[in-house]
C-alpha cells in the first residue's frame, strides 16, 4: 500500500462453511480497510460483495469473452467493453424486431439460437438487418 497516507485497520474474521464433501471447514479472512468506524460484519459483507463482482463479472469477461487481464484491469477498457455489450444488446433487439413477426411468440433461448446460427452463417452482417 505504498503511497497511501490515511489510517487503515485490519479486520480478521473466521467463517465456517460446508465444503463440497459435506464437512465443515473454517476460513480465516483478513481485510485491510479504511472503514475505521464500521462494524466488522459490514466490512466482511462488503468484502464478499466485492469478491462476487471479481468472481462473476471479471471471470465471465475472461472465460466467455476471451478478454486478457489487461482489458479487465484498465478502467477505459472496461468502459469500452460495457458500451460494446450495450451495443450488441441493442443490435439483437433491433434484429428481433425486424426479423421476427410480432404475432410469433418465441422464447428468448430459441431466439438466441436463431440469432447465433444466422451470425455464424452470414458473411455480410448488414444483411441480418434487412427485412424478409
Amino acid at each position: 500500500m505504498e503511497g497511501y497516507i490515511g489510517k487503515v485497520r485490519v479486520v480478521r474474521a473466521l467463517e465456517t462453511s460446508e465444503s463440497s464433501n459435506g464437512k465443515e471447514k473454517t476460513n480465516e479472512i483478513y481485510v485491510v480497510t479504511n472503514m475505521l468506524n464500521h462494524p466488522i460484519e459490514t466490512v466482511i459483507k462488503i468484502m464478499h460483495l466485492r469478491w462476487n463482482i471479481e468472481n462473476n463479472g471479471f471471470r465471465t469477461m475472461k472465460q466467455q469473452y476471451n478478454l486478457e487481464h489487461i482489458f479487465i484491469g484498465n478502467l477505459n477498457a472496461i468502459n469500452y467493453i460495457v458500451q460494446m455489450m450495450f451495443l450488441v444488446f441493442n443490435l439483437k433487439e433491433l434484429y428481433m424486431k425486424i426479423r421476427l413477426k410480432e404475432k410469433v411468440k418465441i422464447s428468448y433461448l430459441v431466439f438466441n439460437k436463431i440469432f447465433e446460427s444466422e451470425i455464424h452463417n452470414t458473411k455480410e452482417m448488414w444483411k441480418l438487418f434487412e427485412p424478409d
Side-chain angles (χ1 to χ4, degrees):
M1 295 182 45
E2 277 184 45
Y4 185 76
I5 57 173
K7 291 183 179 181
V8 297
R9 74 175 177 169
V10 177
V11 175
R12 176 181 175 256
L14 296 175
E15 292 188 335
T16 305
S17 62
E18 192 174 307
S19 64
S20 58
N21 61 5
K23 293 183 180 178
E24 201 173 82
K25 68 176 187 172
T26 302
N27 294 322
E28 188 173 20
I29 300 169
Y30 290 90
V31 179
V32 177
T33 180
N34 62 356
M35 298 171 63
L36 304 176
N37 300 320
H38 292 75
I40 291 174
E41 294 81 14
T42 302
V43 173
I44 297 300
K45 185 173 184 175
I46 290 171
M47 183 269 313
H48 279 292
L49 292 171
R50 167 78 179 166
W51 273 107
N52 189 30
I53 293 169
E54 293 282 339
N55 289 336
N56 294 326
F58 292 129
R59 183 185 305 155
T60 300
M61 286 184 183
K62 283 182 184 177
Q63 291 176 348
Q64 293 184 0
Y65 302 108
N66 298 320
L67 298 176
E68 298 295 327
H69 182 72
I70 190 168
F71 292 112
I72 63 170
N74 182 307
L75 187 58
N76 285 336
I78 293 170
N79 188 13
Y80 293 135
I81 291 165
V82 170
Q83 289 179 21
M84 185 65 69
M85 292 167 73
F86 279 118
L87 176 66
V88 169
F89 171 79
N90 285 323
L91 286 173
K92 283 176 82 171
E93 291 293 312
L94 179 64
Y95 168 86
M96 190 164 69
K97 298 282 189 234
I98 292 172
R99 300 285 286 188
L100 303 175
K101 308 293 184 240
E102 284 184 25
K103 295 177 184 175
V104 176
K105 293 191 178 184
I106 190 165
S107 76
Y108 186 75
L109 293 174
V110 172
F111 164 71
N112 267 346
K113 289 185 186 237
I114 293 169
F115 184 73
E116 288 174 12
S117 171
E118 287 204 13
I119 283 180
H120 291 298
N121 296 326
T122 303
K123 292 181 181 169
E124 297 166 329
M125 293 299 280
W126 59 270
K127 287 187 176 181
L128 287 175
F129 299 96
E130 287 182 340
D132 287 336

